[in-house]
């Protein structure tokens, strides 16, 4: 095991200082003060030459890892031919091929259509817009702790602490329900949703298939199927946000394919381009998506040809390389190892949650311990980064270690994650976390 890295290094600090000089603070939440310079495979290298095994993957986007020449070639070949057509005026073949690949991947039992966009935020907002026009009901129900985006309707439908502070007045058209965590919570949650539906004002539920930024929370088995049955009784829609959990991350191409549900609409972004281009999509019922008038959900870069060529190549790579199966196998190995570490250090690790390579490790917030409770998750993650594993952290109290590496992760790399996690858990348990690590967290680690 390499000696701990002194972070951030001088070059990263220089980049961070320049960021503060040039970029509005809302564009940066910061994790460790590190500026990344390059990557290869499942590893990234910062400006100072420090190498890390990547468990953040560009906020879960870089599903193919780094250095994929086939993907960059798909972009440059398309860009050298025609860099931009403005799809709404002049369709291009790359966007149509992408739409066809998306529909095929989902295997939906109805006449499907695709809306293309730029980010998960606009995709989720587009689902709400389509729902409103199709159902003629303005209200949408979503869950406490959900993060659906940072623009307009997507942010209004999110219920993540602080992100809408001073921006939007809460509207009666956006209802929030506590998500069920255990089997006994299912019936009360469904009853709460049904009460909203009975008002006749709500056209559907928007939810992540697995809640990501809240700390990796899957719903109890059967909940989403029961929710869909309830929605069908009221001619309301099930809209699934697969921005983080889709594209093979959880062990199937789409996470909903493990849940015995058929969404009316679902969204994708992040892994859709494996981090190589900003692009998003909504896939769903033609009758719902075509309820929107021409031009109501369109952007200058909608259906951007080179970006669409990239996304189509990524979809084929995920299928051809059997990455969902690989994610399931590597995830099972990690989860077994992490649960063994939790058994050794229950005073440090409260819970292990996940499916495939979408894993959250909840760190105990222990009053009276050497680490201030509000910093526990961030300190654990930072100590891991000092040891060469680039964890993320999230959760409503920033207390959950984020393990969402590229889907190409090897068994040897998975074992390295487990080794570092065990080392940090032991340091926590024995009160040996360096004071310098805590100081770095206070200075550099903000998070969502």
């Amino acid at each position: 095991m390499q000696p701990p890295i002194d972070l951030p290094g001088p070059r990263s600090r220089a980049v961070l200082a320049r960021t503060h000089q040039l970029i509005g603070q809302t564009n940066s939440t910061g994790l460790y003060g590190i500026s990344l310079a390059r990557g290869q495979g499942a590893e990234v290298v910062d400006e100072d030459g420090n190498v890390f095994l990547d468990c953040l993957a560009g906020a879960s986007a870089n599903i193919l890892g780094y250095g994929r020449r086939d993907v960059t070639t798909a972009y440059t070949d398309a860009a050298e031919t025609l860099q931009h057509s403005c799809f709404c005026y002049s369709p291009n073949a790359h966007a149509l091929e992408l739409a066809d690949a998306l529909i095929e991947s989902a295997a939906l039992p109805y006449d499907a259509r695709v809306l293309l966009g730029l980010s998960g935020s606009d995709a989720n907002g587009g689902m709400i817009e389509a729902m409103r026009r199709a159902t003629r009901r303005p209200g949408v129900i979503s869950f406490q702790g959900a993060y659906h985006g940072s623009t307009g309707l997507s942010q209004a439908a999110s219920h993540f602490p602080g992100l809408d502070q001073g921006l939007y007045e809460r509207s009666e058209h956006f209802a929030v329900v506590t998500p069920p965590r255990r089997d006994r919570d299912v019936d009360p949650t469904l009853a709460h949703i049904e009460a909203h539906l009975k008002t006749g004002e709500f056209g559907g539920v928007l939810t992540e298939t697995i809640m990501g930024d809240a700390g990796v929370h899957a719903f109890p088995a059967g909940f989403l199927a029961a929710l869909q049955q309830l929605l069908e009784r009221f001619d309301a829609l099930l809209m699934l946000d697969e921005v983080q959990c889709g594209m093979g991350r959880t062990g199937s191409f789409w996470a909903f394919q493990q849940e015995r549900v058929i969404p009316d609409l679902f969204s994708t972004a992040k892994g859709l381009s494996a981090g190589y281009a900003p692009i998003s999509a909504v896939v769903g019922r033609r009758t719902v998506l075509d309820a929107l008038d021409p031009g109501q959900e369109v952007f200058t870069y909608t259906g951007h040809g080179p970006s669409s060529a990239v996304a189509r190549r990524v979809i084929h790579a995920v299928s051809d390389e059997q990455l969902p199966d690989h994610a399931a196998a590597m995830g099972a190995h990690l989860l077994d190892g992490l649960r063994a570490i939790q058994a050794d250090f229950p005073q440090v690790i409260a819970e292990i949650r996940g499916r495939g390579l979408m894993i959250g490790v909840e760190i105990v917030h222990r009053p009276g311990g050497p680490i201030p409770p509000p910093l526990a998750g961030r300190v654990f993650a930072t100590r891991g980064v000092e040891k060469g594993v680039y964890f993320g952290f999230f959760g409503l109290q920033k207390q959950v270690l984020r393990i969402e590496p590229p889907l190409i992760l090897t068994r040897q790399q998975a074992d390295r994650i487990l080794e570092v996690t065990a080392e940090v858990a032991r340091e926590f348990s024995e009160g040996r976390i360096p004071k310098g690590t805590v100081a770095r967290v206070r200075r550099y680690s903000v998070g969502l």
Side-chain angles (χ1 to χ4, degrees):
M1 183 64 64
Q2 67 185 48
I5 305 167
D6 186 16
L7 299 172
R11 292 185 178 179
S12 281
R13 291 198 302 271
V15 172
L16 188 62
R18 190 151 174 77
T19 300
H20 293 327
Q21 291 172 353
L22 297 173
I23 305 297
Q25 68 174 3
T26 193
N27 269 180
S28 177
T29 56
L31 291 187
Y32 313 110
I34 297 170
S35 174
L36 296 179
R38 61 188 184 276
Q40 186 63 43
E43 293 184 328
V44 288
V45 184
D46 72 6
E47 291 284 356
D48 296 278
N50 299 304
V51 180
F52 307 92
L53 175 56
D54 188 12
C55 284
L56 182 59
S60 308
N62 301 339
I63 59 173
L64 301 183
Y66 303 88
R68 289 287 300 232
R69 184 62 61 85
D70 58 327
V71 180
T72 57
T73 298
Y75 188 98
T76 55
D77 284 352
E80 287 172 356
T81 303
L82 179 69
Q83 80 271 23
H84 179 53
S85 71
C86 200
F87 184 91
C88 62
Y89 300 129
S90 297
N92 67 78
H94 296 298
L96 300 178
E97 290 167 356
L98 169 59
D100 189 49
L102 282 166
I103 291 170
E104 182 181 1
S105 73
L108 300 167
Y110 52 69
D111 188 15
R113 292 292 186 273
V114 174
L115 296 183
L116 295 172
L118 307 179
S119 72
S121 295
D122 67 62
N124 289 329
M127 288 200 294
I128 296 171
E129 291 173 350
M131 179 213 77
R132 286 179 165 180
R133 289 299 301 272
T135 67
R136 299 186 182 278
R137 285 169 268 168
V140 60
I141 302 163
S142 53
F143 289 113
Q144 185 66 43
Y147 179 69
H148 296 297
S150 57
T151 58
L153 295 175
S154 69
Q155 188 168 70
S158 298
H159 301 281
F160 202 87
L163 292 186
D164 63 349
Q165 187 69 34
L167 299 179
Y168 298 98
E169 293 295 328
R170 279 294 174 198
S171 163
E172 70 274 11
H173 297 318
F174 293 90
V176 57
V177 173
T178 301
R181 297 289 184 235
R182 299 166 296 276
D183 289 343
R184 67 173 180 265
D185 301 328
V186 168
D187 287 343
T189 300
L190 293 172
H192 194 180
I193 292 170
E194 183 173 8
H196 286 299
L197 293 171
K198 284 180 175 178
T199 67
E201 296 296 318
F202 291 87
V205 169
L206 171 61
T207 178
E208 300 157 89
T209 311
I210 297 175
M211 297 181 71
D213 283 18
V216 188
H217 289 282
F219 296 108
F223 169 73
L224 286 175
L227 173 61
Q228 183 161 44
Q229 292 176 359
L230 173 62
L231 291 168
E232 288 172 348
R233 285 172 42 203
F234 290 89
D235 293 322
L237 305 181
L238 176 62
M239 299 171 285
L240 294 181
D241 175 345
E242 294 247 346
V243 168
Q244 185 172 160
C245 62
M247 291 297 298
R249 180 159 292 283
T250 66
S252 54
F253 204 105
W254 303 108
F256 69 77
Q257 291 168 330
Q258 301 176 51
E259 297 291 343
R260 296 182 293 109
V261 296
I262 304 296
D264 298 291
L265 304 170
F266 74 91
S267 61
T268 177
K270 288 188 184 288
L272 177 59
S273 72
Y276 284 92
I279 192 168
S280 67
V282 176
V283 183
R285 295 184 185 276
R286 177 193 63 78
T287 52
V288 176
L289 293 180
D290 281 355
L292 290 167
D293 295 335
Q296 284 192 304
E297 180 66 15
V298 70
F299 310 95
T300 299
Y301 284 99
T302 292
H304 181 246
S307 300
S308 297
V310 163
R312 179 172 174 267
R313 178 71 200 107
V314 171
I315 287 173
H316 286 300
V318 170
S319 295
D320 295 346
E321 297 169 27
Q322 300 180 321
L323 292 183
D325 291 342
H326 184 72
M330 288 300 98
H333 177 63
L334 277 171
L335 287 167
D336 286 346
L338 289 167
R339 287 172 181 139
I341 296 169
Q342 180 192 16
D344 288 338
F345 302 103
Q347 70 277 35
V348 177
I349 297 175
E351 191 172 10
I352 308 293
R353 299 185 291 269
R355 189 183 299 169
L357 288 175
M358 185 176 184
I359 296 173
V361 179
E362 183 149 351
I363 305 304
V364 174
H365 283 211
R366 183 160 52 97
I371 307 300
L375 300 182
R378 284 178 278 177
V379 169
F380 196 108
T382 300
R383 189 59 177 158
V385 174
E386 291 172 350
K387 292 174 178 286
V389 175
Y390 200 94
F391 293 117
F393 57 81
F394 49 19
L396 302 186
Q397 297 175 303
K398 305 174 186 177
Q399 81 283 19
V400 180
L401 197 68
R402 181 176 189 166
I403 302 178
E404 298 189 6
L407 306 188
I408 61 169
L409 187 80
T410 67
R411 177 70 174 254
Q412 182 179 16
Q413 289 168 334
D415 287 340
R416 184 177 166 201
I417 293 169
L418 294 173
E419 183 179 4
V420 167
T421 302
E423 279 200 358
V424 177
R426 182 173 299 281
E427 289 182 352
F428 256 68
S429 177
E430 297 174 357
R432 294 191 291 109
I433 296 294
K435 292 181 180 179
T437 302
V438 180
R440 290 186 190 99
V441 169
R442 293 185 186 278
R443 183 170 183 181
Y444 297 111
S445 293
V446 180
L448 276 181

